[in-house]
Amino acid sequence: MRMLRRLRTGQWLLALALTIASASCTALEPPPILSTAPLSPTTRATLDLGTKELADGRFIGLAFSGGGSRAAVFGAAVMKELDRVGLLAQVDVLSAVSGGTLPAAAYVLEGYRDFSFRNGFVEQVGRDFQRAMLGPWYTVPQNALRYALTDRIPAEQVIQVLDDRLFRGATFADLNPSKPILLMNATDALTGEPLIISDEWFRDLHQPLAPFSIARAVYMSAAYPGVLEPLALYDGGVGRNGLDRPPVLAYDGGAADNLGIKTLMQVLQGASSARSMTELFPRGCLVVSVDATGRQQNEARKPLSAAAVLLKSHRRDLLELAGIPAAEQDVAMFGTFRVGRDGAGGTCRFWHLALRQLPDSDPLGALVTGIKTNLGLSPEDQASLVEAAARLVAKGREAMKRAADWTSFIVGPPALFSHP
């Protein structure tokens, strides 16, 4: 997002000169108020596993990390590879953060307007949103002045670009019921607690999720603190003394979990609270992590920001929780973790597909781990991420074939990994 902040001082002075004569800055727009319609039936964004997810006796969850367009394109490319080898169609739940929400949401919108996984999927989520955000918005003096005074990129402008260039007015009611459950992750900016955009959370807000904009939800998950405005959502309930409850403020889900793994663990824990994992999923459990974390170069040996340190720490702790020791997290692809209180619910396998598993000594690894966290990438960077996805999925698939304890995931009717 750094490029979104790089506007010259002279441009701001010009904007100020053009607007000072006319008046003061227009008042900021009030946060959107959600629908007051009765709560609708559940959508495909729920923490509860239903008949569809339990039918085959196997759980497969797919988690997408944050990382701007780097995460979006890598996530989309991994999905194409998993589809090619027969895994994607068996996924039950998608959990996504920030840039990873773009391919996750686009996939579950299959059939809505021109959404097609088979036709230009990677290109769709790889569109240059950043150029559109920096376009006409900042040529209007009043808008430029507003940005100069708030020091944040306006939420509504980003949401409009996401909607115009990708989501085309889609809401949670438009999610394809034949596709996996979609869970996008944000953070409650007032408490610091994780916030899962779901029927359950919106029910607590006394609002229906079905009419809520997908572009707005993606923005909530990606709104990096200090750069993008947090999004305010009003609680439809009544507070003390009959007064309206204060709005909830939401921003970037990466502040709590930039891998999206914890949400899948929470879904599994909820499902196994009444029945064991063996009962629920006799054919096994697998969580796949699509991790687009870059490799930070600090050649100038400058102190890292607190946010960078926290992201690094959270990633290390989450991967350890998933069964991969800290010392092996950029090498090992597999782990196992226990589900339920004290692990009594059972176990689940973990497959880590990370850009950082490609070493700097590999030219491809050096390139893809150094791609900046922007919302627009060059065709060359996109092609490199597609190649990285193909290489990492192939490497993991071969390793599974050689490991006896992964046999249940590569054989059996239907085979989880079948040759194309």
Side-chain angles (χ1 to χ4, degrees):
M1 302 301 293
R2 294 186 184 94
M3 289 181 64
L4 296 173
R5 306 286 298 275
R6 292 178 184 171
L7 296 177
R8 295 180 180 177
T9 303
Q11 292 174 312
W12 293 123
L13 293 176
L14 176 60
L16 285 169
L18 291 171
T19 55
I20 282 290
S22 60
S24 60
C25 182
T26 305
L28 298 184
E29 300 165 4
I33 300 176
L34 299 181
S35 169
T36 56
L39 298 185
S40 59
T42 57
T43 69
R44 288 299 289 164
T46 174
L47 299 173
D48 292 331
L49 300 179
T51 303
K52 177 179 180 295
E53 291 73 44
L54 299 173
D56 64 356
R58 169 184 278 150
F59 178 85
I60 300 177
L62 188 55
F64 298 85
S65 80
S69 288
R70 184 183 67 246
V73 173
F74 180 56
V78 167
M79 292 177 83
K80 296 296 284 188
E81 289 301 312
L82 296 181
D83 178 63
R84 189 176 67 83
V85 299
L87 174 62
L88 187 63
Q90 300 182 56
V91 171
D92 299 297
V93 183
L94 304 178
S95 172
V97 185
S98 194
T101 61
L102 294 173
Y107 178 66
V108 185
L109 283 169
E110 176 78 21
Y112 173 79
R113 295 199 175 186
D114 61 349
F115 279 91
S116 172
F117 182 71
R118 302 291 177 195
N119 184 22
F121 182 70
V122 176
E123 291 77 11
Q124 277 187 317
V125 301
R127 289 170 179 165
D128 190 345
F129 302 102
Q130 185 160 295
R131 186 182 299 273
M133 291 173 192
L134 289 174
W137 180 258
Y138 293 105
T139 64
V140 178
Q142 291 88 343
N143 292 337
L145 177 59
R146 172 185 172 181
Y147 177 67
L149 295 177
T150 63
D151 197 33
R152 288 178 181 170
I153 299 166
E156 293 306 317
Q157 171 63 9
V158 179
I159 293 167
Q160 182 180 332
V161 168
L162 289 171
D163 213 29
D164 290 348
R165 295 185 65 82
L166 183 59
F167 295 114
R168 312 286 181 85
T171 69
F172 280 84
D174 297 311
L175 298 180
N176 189 325
S178 71
K179 294 299 180 182
I181 289 170
L182 172 66
L183 296 172
M184 292 189 270
N185 301 279
T187 303
D188 186 324
L190 300 178
T191 67
E193 292 297 316
L195 185 165
I196 304 171
I197 303 172
S198 61
D199 288 323
E200 291 80 3
W201 187 71
F202 265 65
R203 199 171 296 130
D204 289 342
L205 278 181
H206 306 90
Q207 298 285 355
L209 177 59
F212 194 68
S213 157
I214 295 292
R216 198 167 288 275
V218 167
Y219 176 86
M220 284 171 62
S221 183
Y224 191 80
V227 177
L228 298 173
E229 295 175 337
L231 191 67
L233 299 174
Y234 280 101
D235 190 319
V238 178
R240 294 180 181 179
N241 302 320
L243 301 175
D244 290 340
R245 295 184 180 181
V248 174
L249 297 179
Y251 60 39
D252 188 6
D257 170 10
N258 200 41
L259 297 181
I261 295 171
K262 266 191 174 179
T263 293
L264 294 177
M265 291 178 172
Q266 182 176 332
V267 168
L268 287 170
Q269 183 154 334
S272 64
S273 60
R275 298 165 61 191
S276 71
M277 292 284 286
T278 304
E279 265 188 286
L280 287 168
F281 310 116
R283 298 181 62 213
C285 171
L286 175 64
V287 166
V288 183
S289 171
V290 184
D291 182 358
T293 305
R295 186 177 286 114
Q296 282 192 322
Q297 303 292 346
N298 193 7
E299 295 174 358
R301 299 188 61 79
K302 294 182 179 179
L304 298 175
S305 68
V309 172
L310 283 173
L311 282 175
K312 184 175 181 180
S313 175
H314 286 169
R315 177 179 183 267
R316 180 183 63 244
D317 293 346
L318 284 165
L319 291 175
E320 284 191 325
L321 190 63
I324 300 182
E328 301 176 19
Q329 288 175 358
D330 290 345
V331 180
M333 299 188 85
F334 305 114
T336 302
F337 62 92
R338 299 199 66 83
V339 177
R341 182 175 295 178
D342 301 322
T347 61
C348 190
R349 295 299 179 89
F350 181 71
W351 182 12
H352 188 213
L353 289 163
L355 289 177
R356 286 172 58 163
Q357 290 164 354
L358 298 171
D360 269 342
S361 57
D362 179 345
L364 180 64
L367 194 158
V368 294
T369 57
I371 295 173
K372 301 297 183 183
T373 307
N374 297 322
L375 285 175
L377 300 179
S378 69
E380 293 76 18
D381 282 347
Q382 293 193 40
S384 296
L385 289 165
V386 170
E387 183 183 348
R391 191 182 297 184
L392 287 166
V393 171
K395 179 182 176 182
R397 186 181 174 201
E398 289 303 315
M400 284 183 181
K401 290 177 182 178
R402 294 192 300 268
D405 55 349
W406 280 84
T407 303
S408 62
F409 289 99
I410 56 174
V411 297
L416 189 60
F417 290 90
S418 55
H419 289 283

